[in-house]
């Protein structure tokens, strides 16, 4: 708990929400409907078969008032300032923790089959851990608090942990991340929104708030907009893994049922990946390792032209492909799943005025599109040729029996009218 003189009852945010004024775009972009036909956040195999996957959200709390979003899947968690709240109160003015939890595992809102909103893993449980009140910094003390929260989440059976905040690296934080990985818990974190190079050692030490995302074993998530373009606030570097939807996002607001907000940032991109990790855990079992899940999401992403760069990582999250592409079952439980190749760190990022040259990634892009078009054209041409041969084999013999010969057309039997006529 926080020092006694800092403890206070959590006052939930209640104002600031609006009515839904846009059509949520992210689920179609990442292939969510396809993925959810395979898994929705429940273990299908392994030691936890039949149980819900648990996603720990280390944030500003998650509003129990949004029962329409979470139902009974919001577990009793932890609140560093108010033990009685159990993490189920969101005090942040933007409902930050509630938004993160809803994106990762919110239930469907709206008409079935045409929902206004649905989280990535709508059958998963949420374990809320409130260590941010909203607008908190990422100093050394906060880093140590988050480290304790990570350990607490592991000890309370989290399968996936989402940290949508950034802070300084500390020995405690590094050890907590290692503890999670050792216990087969997937770590997902936002890279942050300051457009900084996370590998730039010239940045003052007390301003290198890039962690836990910048630890290699953590799945580091940047953001993209509805067109697939890199969100310009994203912190970048050699350890960035993926981009996920993070701009112009409508999400359920903590203030009350029917309320919405629209937000931007890597904070909201990270839970898309945490939800995807929960689906993979559910589909392939609790024994699926963090290393394999990280690799799986990298390999099935919509890649940039050079497979990896320090801005887009391995590309855009494609949860549909992650759940449906062929799987090597031996790798699912391997701690040594091979890491996809990465670009060497660069201390010289693209100049700010040139960052529009970072190509957007097309969710419908197919690297074999040209080859497939040629192949289908060849198939079509072959079908036409075979059809023509078969037709001619029927027509020519009949024509010969009727006396048809090349160049032997008989004169017209109708008399030609002359001028004198």
């Amino acid at each position: 708990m926080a020092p006694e003189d800092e403890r206070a009852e959590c006052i939930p945010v209640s104002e600031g929400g609006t009515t839904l004024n846009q059509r949520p775009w992210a689920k179609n972009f990442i292939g969510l409907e396809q993925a959810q036909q395979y898994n929705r956040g429940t273990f299908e195999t392994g030691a936890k078969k039949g149980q819900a996957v648990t996603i720990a959200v280390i944030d500003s709390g998650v509003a129990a008032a949004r029962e329409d979003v979470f139902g009974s899947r919001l577990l009793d968690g932890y609140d560093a300032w108010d033990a009685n709240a159990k993490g189920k109160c969101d005090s942040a003015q933007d409902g930050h923790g509630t938004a993160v939890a809803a994106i990762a595992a919110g239930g469907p809102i709206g008409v079935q089959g045409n929902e206004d909103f649905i989280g990535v893993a709508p059958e998963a449980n949420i374990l809320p851990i409130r260590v941010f009140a909203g607008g908190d910094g990422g100093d050394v003390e906060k880093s140590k608090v988050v480290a304790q929260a990570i350990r607490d989440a592991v000890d309370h059976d989290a399968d996936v942990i989402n940290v949508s905040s950034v802070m300084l690296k500390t020995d405690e934080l590094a050890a907590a991340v290692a503890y999670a990985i050792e216990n087969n818990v997937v770590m997902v974190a936002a890279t942050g929104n300051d457009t900084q190079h996370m590998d730039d050692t010239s940045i003052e030490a007390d301003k290198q708030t890039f962690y836990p995302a910048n630890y290699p074993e953590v799945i580091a998530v940047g953001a993209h907009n509805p067109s697939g373009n890199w969100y310009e606030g994203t912190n970048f570097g050699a350890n960035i893994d993926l981009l996920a939807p993070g701009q112009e996002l409508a999400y359920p607001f903590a203030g009350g049922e029917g309320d919405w907000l629209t937000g931007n940032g890597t904070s909201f991109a990270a839970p898309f990946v945490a939800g995807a990790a929960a689906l993979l855990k559910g589909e392939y079992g609790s024994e699926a390792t963090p290393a394999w899940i990280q690799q799986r999401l990298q390999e099935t992403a919509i890649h940039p032209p050079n497979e990896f760069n320090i801005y887009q990582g391995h590309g855009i999250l494609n949860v549909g492909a992650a759940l449906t592409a062929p799987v090597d079952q031996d790798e699912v439980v391997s701690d040594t799943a091979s890491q996809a190749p990465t670009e060497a760190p660069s201390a010289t990022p693209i100049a700010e005025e040139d960052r529009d040259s970072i190509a957007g990634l097309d969710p419908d892009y197919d690297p074999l599109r040209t080859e497939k078009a040629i192949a289908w054209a060849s198939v079509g041409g072959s079908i036409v040729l075979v059809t023509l041969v078969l037709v001619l084999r029927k027509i020519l013999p009949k024509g010969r029996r009727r006396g048809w010969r090349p160049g032997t057309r008989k004169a017209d039997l109708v008399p030609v009218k002359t001028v004198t006529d």
Side-chain angles (χ1 to χ4, degrees):
M1 294 293 293
E4 282 196 35
D5 61 346
E6 295 180 14
R7 299 177 194 176
E9 181 180 353
C10 179
I11 301 174
V13 62
S14 59
E15 297 181 355
T18 63
T19 56
L20 185 64
N21 57 12
Q22 68 177 76
R23 190 75 182 160
W25 56 271
K27 70 175 183 179
N28 294 331
F29 206 108
I30 64 173
L32 185 56
E33 290 184 357
Q34 181 185 20
Q36 289 179 346
Q37 292 176 19
Y38 288 79
N39 196 278
R40 293 169 64 86
T42 299
F43 286 107
E44 299 293 334
T45 187
K48 294 184 178 180
K49 183 177 180 180
Q51 299 179 36
V53 181
T54 297
I55 304 173
V57 174
I58 299 175
D59 216 289
S60 62
V62 179
R66 290 312 303 256
E67 190 174 355
D68 59 322
V69 178
F70 304 109
S72 61
R73 296 178 297 107
L74 184 59
L75 307 177
D76 287 346
Y78 175 79
D79 189 315
W81 295 280
D82 180 0
N84 294 326
K86 299 180 179 179
K88 294 156 76 167
C89 168
D90 192 344
S91 61
Q93 290 303 305
D94 61 352
H96 194 275
T98 305
V100 168
I103 291 168
I109 300 175
V111 180
Q112 184 175 3
N114 193 30
E115 294 90 352
D116 292 326
F117 177 89
I118 186 169
V120 179
E123 293 178 1
N125 286 335
I126 292 291
L127 178 65
I129 302 179
R130 180 176 176 249
V131 295
F132 294 95
D136 307 35
D139 59 13
V140 168
E141 288 308 312
K142 186 60 71 174
S143 180
K144 293 179 180 179
V145 168
V146 170
Q148 292 176 329
I150 291 170
R151 288 181 174 274
D152 186 55
V154 174
D155 292 342
H156 286 83
D157 300 321
D159 301 294
V160 179
I161 297 174
N162 186 94
V163 182
S164 281
S165 53
V166 292
M167 58 216 67
L168 296 171
K169 64 178 179 179
T170 57
D171 291 342
E172 291 84 352
L173 185 61
V177 168
Y179 181 67
I181 301 301
E182 288 166 6
N183 283 275
N184 217 35
V185 178
V186 180
M187 285 290 310
V188 179
T191 64
N193 307 311
D194 296 317
T195 325
Q196 294 195 74
H197 195 315
M198 297 188 293
D199 307 308
D200 186 354
T201 56
S202 68
I203 299 173
E204 295 177 26
D206 63 348
K207 293 183 172 59
Q208 293 181 23
T209 50
F210 308 132
Y211 297 85
N214 208 26
Y215 293 124
E217 60 268 44
V218 175
I219 303 177
V221 187
H224 69 78
N225 67 13
S227 299
N229 293 321
W230 179 73
Y231 171 59
E232 62 181 1
T234 298
N235 290 341
F236 52 92
N239 285 322
I240 188 171
D241 288 289
L242 300 163
L243 300 184
Q247 194 169 358
E248 300 174 26
L249 285 174
Y251 56 79
F253 179 54
E257 187 171 336
D259 281 351
W260 299 79
L261 275 186
T262 301
N264 304 311
T266 61
S267 284
F268 306 126
F272 280 101
V273 176
L279 295 185
L280 287 171
K281 277 278 191 180
E283 184 68 11
Y284 296 104
S286 58
E287 294 77 15
T289 63
W292 177 76
I293 288 175
Q294 184 175 25
Q295 176 182 294
R296 178 71 172 176
L297 293 173
Q298 290 173 350
E299 290 177 342
T300 56
I302 302 164
H303 300 304
N306 56 352
E307 297 296 323
F308 176 90
N309 63 62
I310 62 174
Y311 290 92
Q312 297 164 311
H314 298 274
I316 287 175
L317 171 68
N318 185 350
V319 66
L323 266 289
T324 60
V327 170
D328 183 342
Q329 293 291 342
D330 292 335
E331 288 195 352
V332 171
V333 295
S334 173
D335 290 324
T336 57
S338 60
Q339 294 296 309
T342 60
E343 182 181 279
S346 170
T348 309
I350 298 172
E352 184 173 349
E353 61 271 19
D354 295 330
R355 285 184 184 147
D356 57 1
S357 67
I358 301 172
L361 301 180
D362 179 4
D364 297 320
Y365 172 69
D366 183 349
L368 298 177
R369 182 179 294 169
T370 302
E371 289 83 350
K372 288 179 180 178
I374 293 172
W376 279 112
S378 300
V379 170
S382 299
I383 291 172
V384 170
L385 183 59
V386 169
T387 303
L388 182 60
V389 169
L390 292 175
V391 169
L392 291 176
R393 286 183 64 184
K394 296 279 283 184
I395 292 175
L396 291 178
K398 289 184 178 180
R400 290 193 178 101
R401 285 196 296 271
R402 296 177 181 179
W404 295 352
R405 295 287 185 275
T408 60
R409 181 184 176 188
K410 295 180 180 179
D412 292 334
L413 299 179
V414 179
V416 177
K417 185 176 181 180
T418 63
V419 176
T420 54
D421 292 336

